[in-house]
Amino acid sequence: MARQCSRLLRLGFTSMSCLFERGNGGGAPFRATAHKWSCRRFTAAPPPPPRRSADRRTRVTMGRILTGTMLGVVIAGGAYVSTADEATFSGWLFDATKLVNPLFALLDPETAHRLAISAAARGFIPREKRPDPSILEVEVWGQKFSNPLGLAAGYDKNAEAVESLLGLGFSFIEVGSVTPIPQEGTQKPCIFRIPLERAIIGRDCVNSEGLVAVVERLAGQYGKIKFKRKSDGPEHGGTAGHGIVGVNIGKNTTSEDAAADYLQGFHTLCHIADYLVINVSPPNTPGLRKLEGRKQLKDLVRKIQSARDEMLWGERGPPPLLVKISPDLSRQDLEDIAAVALTLRLDGLIISNTTTSRPEPVNKYPVSKESGGLSGKPLFSLSTDILKEMYILTQGKITLVGCGGVSSGEDAYRKIRAGATLVQIYTAFSYEGPALVPRIKAELARCLEGDGFKSVHEAVGADCR
């Protein structure tokens, strides 16, 4: 707890120092003359600057707002930490992020996301110290999840902040999509917010730093604790230690052999990932969704399974193999995918990716004309209907992961009742920040208890019976 407080204080005063200087136009450092205090040695003041432009005034205003917010957080944290236990202080830190998170909305989406990942990678986010309610515990693929909530692929594409994001209270996170060789995304802007609908349109192709970078980071973050195990009690985590880490594998946009790309991803990541996802449904990679056809998907999965069967595995065996599908599928498409999943005994399906459709009321916004995949609240009904349909088609024999539009514990509960054993969030987390994670878990526990369920497993598929 002391270390957390020290880190918070350092972050707060460092941020304030930088902002004071920026607020002063990047020239002489800030000086509070009333207290004769300066951030560093003060020399002669520069001549008065010319009239600021609108952009410069905006930066100064944002700097002052963020400075005041950070100052309040630091002072309140310093006063509070001396009287609070570790779990209580952890809860206070999550609540404190509600003050800072709205400021990210003042930045363009790409900058906000880059800043969020950078902060997480440096440990400048809260760490959950409170235990999850026992009713949320789930066991899937022989692995124990302390709760069913995970972070979907696309947020930490290059495994830059795995440990810190798990520390927020997610029981699992999914890295990627990861392509065999590095590739750049599309020209900016490529992410468009629709704040009133809590939605995002992304037209970015799979921008990835490649397999080598991701493997090095995962090994670096978890190599030291990979084989450590607690001697007493059940362990919640995978091969990498605390928490489950999945990797979503994709193909390079310029590649003409999709199967070769997926096989390369499987061979490279299979010994370091707790599960692997074949992503055949990103809407921005030309022609890739054709792999969701019955014959194409069957051939692709068989090739990867054959490669898996030829390898030697330890006691834990090979990682589970999942497929992530689109919400823009016909009834026949769903039947074909269900048949492939049952025939080849897939370990799971993730339902779903983003949609190319523009349901109401999104279609009323000018930004809806931008190409790309729509995520967020407007996707919830469509993806949940597909989830329920797939649960029925697979007769509850395939583990399903519900993804798309989840922004509350009730949303997560509806996904579970529709057939999901695990649930992922992304867009709502981008809008609301760390405080969303404990809130969803608490609300989900209340939903389960309110309907008389003793575990998540009891509620899975309740609306399909």
Side-chain angles (χ1 to χ4, degrees), residues 77-138:
Y80 188 75
V81 67
S82 61
T83 60
D85 59 58
E86 192 173 56
T88 304
F89 182 60
S90 172
W92 179 85
L93 285 177
F94 276 92
D95 289 338
T97 64
K98 296 176 184 178
L99 301 175
V100 179
N101 198 65
L103 301 178
F104 282 82
L106 302 176
L107 306 172
D108 66 84
E110 290 90 350
T111 301
H113 184 260
R114 185 64 253 162
L115 183 60
I117 289 293
S118 180
R122 289 162 174 77
F124 295 153
I125 57 176
R127 190 167 186 85
E128 183 61 84
K129 298 295 184 179
R130 298 161 293 183
D132 289 327
S134 58
I135 196 172
L136 297 182
E137 185 175 316
V138 179

Side-chain angles (χ1 to χ4, degrees), residues 403-419:
C403 182
V406 175
S407 59
S408 68
E410 183 179 353
D411 290 342
Y413 182 54
R414 288 176 61 185
K415 292 283 189 185
I416 290 168
R417 290 185 64 98

